[in-house]
Amino acid sequence: MQRNPCIANIKAGYLFPEIAKRRREFAAAHPQAKIISLGIGNTTEPVMPHINAGLAEGARQLGTAEGYSGYGDEQGLTALREKIASVLYNGLAEPDEVFISDGAKCDIGRLQLLFGSGVKAAVQDPSYPVYVDGSVLIGSAGGWTGNGYDGIIYLPCIAANDFFPDLSIIPSDCIIYFCSPNNPTGAVANKDQLAALVKTALQKKSIIVFDAAYSEFIRAPALPKSIYEIEGAKECAIEVNSFSKTAGFTGVRLGWSIVPKALKYASGESVNTDWNRICTTIFNGASNIAQAGGLAALDSEGQKEIRFLTDYYLENAALIRKTLIAQGITCTGGDNSPYIWACFPGRDSWEVFSEILEKCHVVTTPGAGFGPAGNGYIRFSAFGHRADVEEACARLV
């Protein structure tokens, strides 16, 4: 049997395992060093009491005859689908357009399976690696060219264009991956920008996969949290989201996707119907315990806890951003996003990563790992204990 050629096409080493490997090597060579991570976007603070009680109650019920449940609906608990539609979307999505999952990253992989290998992919550059790497694995893109993958349409998001891409280079009949607030740049698209994106997708008969995993970090009232705040979006966009970074569910694993019933293929078939088929074929549904926690997170008390947690990480971000700017480093993000995108002009980002690790014992994320336009940048993550963030900031001075 021959190896899957798509796996052979992918560049060796997913970004975050490579960072973990370099951290381990440094720790082995410097056993006395206290390493602080401002790299991977992994939450650090405990799940808040009301939400945690929901998880605990979900687990407790499984130990009772009347509360035990086996397989549930692959699309998710009806009560959770209804609550997401009402609490988070306020009428912008219907319950049967909400599909519960084990996280946004997993949903993106299944969406790539949904659309198959014959579709082109356009991605923000820089962007979350799974959009590109997953496209290569499904066969939508070829091998590494030295400056990106063959067949991927890169949409540079750089300081010169205010981190919003030139939409004219998007081809027809493609998947457009768009993340706002953006990972890694921290930039948030405004309503006019998203309206232009939706207009482009409709004109070019393309579908937007809108990653809103960081939407609850948005504090500016004028900035949209959902693509469906834009007229016409339900005819051209799928939205993915997650409880990971807001409720501390990075290890619990719970997310959702919105696939509107108005979204159709060029030949008129329903994307919602096909997504339902994918979910019921290769997915047995999210954990019933996790979904119990999700229901608690959507209670009024759970929403207050989410606001508290996201405020905490945004306060961390403000500390990091202030420290970097005081050193003369140009930054974006860190205000409506937990990520700070720091510019080191003319520098190789892996070299800067190594320098910060060796001199400050602080782990960051090199921008080159997010795409060709990311070189010369470092991403700082605000996910960390406050004392660690404060000590890291002191070391960076």
Side-chain angles (χ1 to χ4, degrees), residues 274-311:
D274 279 4
W275 181 238
N276 186 69
R277 184 69 167 90
I278 290 286
C279 291
T280 55
T281 301
I282 63 168
F283 183 51
N284 270 343
S287 158
N288 41 21
I289 298 173
Q291 291 187 79
L295 284 167
L298 295 170
D299 290 340
S300 59
E301 187 60 32
Q303 289 293 284
K304 290 177 185 176
E305 292 180 341
I306 282 175
R307 181 74 178 208
F308 177 87
L309 276 177
T310 51
D311 277 347

Side-chain angles (χ1 to χ4, degrees), residues 24 94 124 164-165 205 208 230 249 255 268 272 296:
R24 287 193 301 271
E94 300 298 325
Q124 289 166 291
F164 186 82
K205 303 186 187 310
I208 302 162
I230 307 304
F249 277 20
N272 179 286

